[in-house]
Amino acid sequence: MLFATSEVHPFSKTGGLGDVSGALPHALATLGHEVLVVTPWYRTLRGGARPLWIGDVQVPFAGGFEAAGVGTLESGHVRYAFVGHADYQRDDLYGYSDDVRRFARFTRAVPQVAARLGFRPDVLHAHDWHTGYLPMVLAHGWHLPDGFPGLPSVFTVHNVQYQGTSGLAEALWWLRLPGALADDYMNHFGSANAMQAALGFAHHVTTVSPTYAHEVQRPEFGYGLDGTFRHVRGKLSGILNGLDTHEWDPAADAHLPRPFDRRDLTGKADAKRALTAALGLDHERPLLGVVSRLADQKGIDLVVQAGERLVAQGWALALLGSGDAGLERDVRALAARHHGSVAAVVGFDEALAHLIYAGSDALAVPSRFEPCGLSQMIAMRYGTLPVARDTGGLHDTIDHQRTGFLFEHATPEGLLWATGLARAAYGGSSWPGMVDTAMRQDFSWEASAGRYAELYRTVVASAR
Ligand code: ADP
């Protein structure tokens, strides 16, 4: 199985895509699959990884052929190939005006690199817009190595908000594809759209939760592609992401003062004490945590608007996040107004995130949309009940009033309704049972990897 992705933990990561690309190939290898992961060779690979450089490949690109370097390493029965080019020697992974061109180059390099390593896949799995043109290239591209033309493909949508758009003529020129394709799936109202091309040409499309697969077919969630999703719904399904249960394990978490599990929660009480002491919060109040990117998607503005009333309900708030400058200012201002009952830390802080998951009583996840979401799963594993918007992966992982609290309307009042339920339950007889049930949920990758493996089999069989 050939896995093409723009980021992969532990080498590169900006979000959930990196987590999935890191964990799923290992879970598939455990099931007996032979997996090659192809990813860009960014200037700074995390964890000091040093792939072995094995030479160049000639990539069909922009009307000719251009050289790209190939690096490789193996880890835990998974092989990795890194595509080297000046395009990836920048400070950040994304965010440049020529991103579509950069990842068109990467897309075109994937088959040549796999062939260079002597890898003959039976199926391709591509992810998000960066590798969205691969199914189309496999269907129509010139200069593909033996075994690659017509290779069956699965495409996974991690977030439909980002689609990779450019001019039609230039995208076809970069990818060296026939001009007639300008009238095909890549054409979204006159622009080239990498994600829509993938929806059209992949043999099967998945989203990272079953509910999100339904939601993207609606205008409120589809970001202009809802019609296309409806059109391809016969080959669309959702497979829930798993959680790295080794990294997120309260019984073996070096960031906590003392480990704990569901049979003995004294370590959780210690974590709360350490957290409230570190942030200067009133220890007696029930503690509502937030660990989130500060982006419109995540609905943190609802927490800010409800801030006064959350404190009036009796909560203390521990907020950790970074991103949008306006939201960063707003959470800081809220904390300044409620000294002792609201604390805000702006930044990306792995250690504090662990302590908030462990030390909080509840975690607010008020996302406007959520393709899957990991933070609610982490919270449950740490005995912290999520108070979350009833959408996407949050809907699929949280059982209202059994493992957490769900609210429907993305308004401060919607959030306050659910925090009110949680506040009423906190300290009562039902709370410990809910915590125990939440901690017993199985979010490991095993089940999801099995579903992907089954899907690959189906796709390969039907392509024959
Ligand atoms: P998304 O990928 O949309 O940001 P997820 O819930 O899928 O949301 O994953 C977010 C991951 O990033 C979680 O592991 C969460 O703990 C982590 N995270 C988000 N913001 C921060 C932060 N400011 N500091 C530390 N970790 C963070």
Side-chain angles (χ1 to χ4, degrees), residues 119-286:
F119 193 77
R120 279 289 285 263
D122 53 356
V123 61
L124 162 85
H125 191 169
H127 301 264
D128 270 355
W129 75 263
H130 316 87
T131 49
Y133 283 129
L134 254 171
M136 184 168 79
V137 165
L138 294 174
H140 293 285
W142 294 306
H143 308 297
L144 288 170
D146 274 358
F148 284 84
L151 186 69
S153 56
V154 172
F155 179 73
T156 295
V157 178
H158 297 258
N159 191 332
V160 76
Q161 195 174 1
Y162 311 104
Q163 300 174 0
T165 55
S166 64
L168 281 165
E170 53 184 5
L172 288 168
W173 165 251
W174 297 329
L175 294 163
R176 298 197 59 182
L177 288 170
L181 287 170
D183 298 323
D184 213 312
Y185 273 105
M186 72 184 299
N187 186 329
H188 186 244
F189 297 107
S191 290
N193 185 304
M195 182 164 280
Q196 181 169 275
L199 302 185
F201 284 99
H203 292 74
H204 194 92
V205 176
T206 65
T207 59
V208 287
S209 69
T211 294
Y212 194 54
H214 292 286
E215 289 175 340
V216 289
Q217 299 178 47
R218 308 207 322 246
E220 321 84 278
F221 292 97
Y223 283 88
L225 293 184
D226 45 290
T228 313
F229 278 109
R230 288 196 298 278
H231 185 69
V232 303
R233 68 176 162 238
K235 58 171 184 179
L236 173 67
S237 61
I239 298 178
L240 201 62
N241 284 340
L243 185 68
D244 184 336
T245 47
H246 295 291
E247 182 164 349
W248 298 104
D249 181 4
D253 188 328
H255 296 293
L256 308 186
R258 184 141 64 112
F260 63 92
D261 59 28
R262 60 185 191 84
R263 284 176 297 274
D264 181 2
L265 292 173
T266 46
K268 184 166 174 66
D270 291 348
K272 181 172 181 180
R273 217 165 287 118
L275 179 61
T276 52
L279 298 180
L281 288 169
D282 178 356
H283 179 73
E284 297 308 316
R285 285 173 170 255

Side-chain angles (χ1 to χ4, degrees), residues 13-17 19 159 248 291-293 297-298 320-322 345 347-350 353 357 370-376 378:
K13 173 178 159 177
T14 68
L17 170 60
D19 286 319
N159 191 332
W248 298 104
V291 180
S292 182
R293 283 189 290 125
Q297 174 195 340
K298 298 293 181 179
L320 169 64
S322 64
V345 176
F348 195 93
D349 187 334
E350 200 83 47
Y357 288 122
E370 194 55 80
C372 178
L374 294 174
S375 65
Q376 80 281 11
I378 301 170

Side-chain angles (χ1 to χ4, degrees), residues 429-446:
S429 58
S430 63
W431 191 271
M434 285 184 72
V435 168
D436 190 64
T437 309
M439 292 184 83
R440 275 191 286 114
Q441 302 301 301
D442 178 9
F443 295 122
S444 64
W445 262 105
E446 236 173 353

